[in-house]
């Protein structure tokens, strides 16, 4: 069964996805082009094919990143504690054309779906904005009681 997910970032963005929507969900927010600091946030879901937890899902996603991103290098992997839940987080860099991309991914399991939050920025902007990541991570949660972490 699908668990509705609530996104609440400093009470500015909040939405609930109806169970009937099904399928994959992708939500993208970004800074205006040409305005510094430049950033983007992607939140995507996918149905789980087999039961797993967030740590196992994070491990599998790491393999996908390594196989698909040019000059992929992990900067830091850690677990972010938010109340009673532990959120696996990976910070890494890769190259797109001649640009170094800095990204952070966090992994969530809600019901029978996996959710990945990806925060992206250039090197200078990432360093400026990194301090906001804890608030962003705290803002991703299920709207119902079905939580597997």
């Amino acid at each position: 069964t699908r668990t509705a997910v609530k996104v609440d970032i400093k009470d500015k963005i909040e939405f609930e996805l109806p169970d009937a929507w099904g399928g994959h969900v992708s939500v993208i927010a970004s800074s205006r082009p040409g305005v510094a600091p430049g950033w983007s946030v992607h939140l995507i879901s996918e149905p789980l094919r087999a039961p797993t937890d967030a740590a196992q899902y994070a491990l599998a996603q790491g393999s996908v990143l390594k196989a698909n991103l040019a000059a992929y290098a992990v900067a830091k992997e850690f677990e972010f504690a938010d109340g009673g839940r532990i959120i696996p987080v990976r910070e890494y860099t890769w190259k797109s054309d001649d640009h170094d991309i800095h990204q952070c991914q966090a992994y969530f399991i809600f019901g029978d779906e996996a959710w990945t939050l990806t925060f992206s920025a250039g090197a200078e902007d990432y360093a400026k904005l990194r301090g906001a990541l804890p608030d962003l991570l705290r803002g991703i949660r299920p709207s119902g009681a079905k939580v597997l972490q």
Side-chain angles (χ1 to χ4, degrees):
T1 62
R2 182 178 178 97
T3 300
V5 171
K6 183 183 234 180
V7 177
D8 183 2
I9 302 168
K10 291 193 177 196
D11 298 322
K12 293 180 182 168
I13 300 171
E14 184 175 326
F15 61 90
E16 226 171 286
L17 304 173
D19 289 349
W21 282 18
H24 295 270
V25 174
S26 179
V27 178
I28 300 170
S30 65
S31 59
R32 289 188 312 222
V35 175
W39 56 270
S40 68
V41 174
H42 296 225
L43 180 64
I44 61 170
S45 74
E46 67 175 305
L48 291 172
R49 293 187 181 113
T52 191
D53 62 20
Q56 292 169 328
Y57 184 72
L59 186 63
Q61 290 304 104
S63 296
V64 171
L65 294 170
K66 184 176 181 177
N68 291 296
L69 299 180
Y72 171 75
V74 175
K76 186 176 184 181
E77 291 181 301
F78 60 97
E79 292 181 333
F80 179 78
D82 178 35
R85 66 182 181 157
I86 302 297
I87 303 166
V89 179
R90 174 182 293 113
E91 292 182 282
Y92 56 95
T93 60
W94 62 284
K95 286 201 179 286
S96 176
D97 299 321
D98 290 333
H99 298 91
D100 288 331
I101 306 297
H102 290 245
Q103 290 185 312
C104 175
Q105 278 194 345
Y107 309 95
F108 307 84
I109 302 295
F110 300 130
D112 58 1
E113 290 185 320
W115 290 79
T116 302
L117 174 84
T118 305
F119 169 75
S120 304
E124 186 176 311
D125 293 337
Y126 188 88
K128 289 178 187 175
L129 298 170
R130 187 180 183 280
L133 288 174
D135 286 339
L136 187 60
L137 297 176
R138 284 185 198 102
I140 308 299
R141 63 186 182 278
S143 63
K146 295 187 251 179
V147 181
L148 300 177
Q149 282 289 14

